[in-house]
Amino acid sequence: QVQLVQSGTEVKKPGASVKVSCKASGYTFTGYYMHWVRQAPGQGLEWMGRINPNSGDTKYAQKFQGRVTMTRDTSITTAYMELSRLRSDDTAVYYCATSGGGYDNFAYWGQGTLVTVSS
Amino acid sequence: SSELTQDPAVSVALGQTVRITCQGDSLRSHYASWYLQKPGQAPVLVIYGKNNRPSGIPDRFSGSSSGDTASLTITGAQAEDEADYYCNSRDSSDNVIFGGGTKLTVL
């Protein structure tokens, strides 16, 4: 069965960076885009961008351009999302998600990683 | 514009039918997907494409679309359907966009 297992809770200071990992299993990792979505406390879902695990090609939401970097390591079927210059409003649960088929229908989600930004 | 608009809150009596809508220009070209999310949990895909349900999603969930509006219908709402519901789609540049979410209360 498809599983996406994310790294654990992070606490960071403003201005720092955070790197969240997403270990995929149960499907062909290079076959489907991996997306990253975040959710601030009490707020809705926000798409951050996606990576093509096969080519490494990325597409980022304009809001995060220049601050986010998505990478992958195909040898260990793991995707990464690094967010730099953290601010307090980056406090959120960060999810990786993949479709297993289409582009934007996310059938599979990681369990989420809470990132808290606080001085 | 690259936005999807949802009503913030909707309620339905137990066993009745409820429709949750999602409006946006991108829906004229792309289907919406629908997710439910319960507190403290990751979202769950319930409808995608024209009207497709992933394995394990009850058939009381259905989707439809007309013009710039997509709808999720729950026929015979159950107590366990109480959740936040989100639509998503993509824009002309392949950016994924989410609606703001609808909180469904089952009375």
Side-chain angles (χ1 to χ4, degrees):
Chain A
Q1 74 284 19
V2 175
Q3 277 195 308
L4 301 176
V5 179
Q6 299 183 221
S7 49
T9 298
E10 301 267 11
V11 179
K12 296 292 183 180
K13 293 193 181 303
S17 297
V18 68
K19 191 171 185 177
V20 179
S21 67
C22 173
K23 166 72 174 174
S25 62
Y27 72 102
T28 302
F29 177 66
T30 53
Y32 307 107
Y33 289 108
M34 186 70 77
H35 297 255
W36 290 88
V37 177
R38 78 175 187 180
Q39 186 171 37
Q43 302 301 308
L45 301 172
E46 182 175 33
W47 182 75
M48 301 180 68
R50 59 85 175 148
I51 184 168
N52 179 334
N54 187 43
S55 65
D57 175 65
T58 55
K59 184 173 185 64
Y60 304 137
Q62 186 171 9
K63 175 177 179 176
F64 300 102
Q65 291 271 5
R67 279 209 307 144
V68 70
T69 304
M70 296 177 187
T71 56
R72 90 294 188 214
D73 184 337
T74 57
S75 68
I76 55 171
T77 64
T78 299
Y80 303 91
M81 186 285 299
E82 184 171 21
L83 189 62
S84 63
R85 303 194 300 279
L86 290 168
R87 306 184 293 253
S88 58
D89 61 359
D90 291 318
T91 294
V93 175
Y94 290 76
Y95 294 101
C96 58
T98 190
S99 70
Y103 181 78
D104 57 355
N105 49 293
F106 303 147
Y108 307 103
W109 294 71
Q111 83 276 19
T113 297
L114 175 62
V115 176
T116 301
V117 182
S118 174
S119 56
Chain B
S1 67
S2 299
E3 290 183 354
L4 295 176
T5 301
Q6 298 182 240
D7 292 328
V10 171
S11 62
V12 61
L14 184 68
Q16 296 303 299
T17 296
V18 63
R19 176 174 292 182
I20 299 170
T21 61
C22 174
Q23 184 177 23
D25 287 343
S26 66
L27 299 180
R28 296 184 183 278
S29 306
H30 302 287
Y31 288 116
S33 298
W34 290 92
Y35 306 83
L36 68 78
Q37 185 182 34
K38 297 183 179 181
Q41 298 182 19
V44 173
L45 179 69
V46 295
I47 291 289
Y48 66 98
K50 189 174 183 179
N51 181 21
N52 301 302
R53 281 177 289 107
S55 174
I57 301 302
D59 61 5
R60 63 179 179 271
F61 290 90
S62 63
S64 61
S65 184
S66 178
D68 69 349
T69 301
S71 301
L72 172 71
T73 300
I74 307 173
T75 304
Q78 302 299 303
E80 61 264 32
D81 299 334
E82 186 162 291
D84 294 327
Y85 288 82
Y86 295 92
C87 61
N88 84 331
S89 185
R90 64 167 110 172
D91 68 13
S92 57
S93 300
D94 283 344
N95 296 297
V96 175
I97 45 179
F98 281 95
T102 298
K103 183 176 183 62
L104 176 66
T105 300
V106 179
L107 304 171

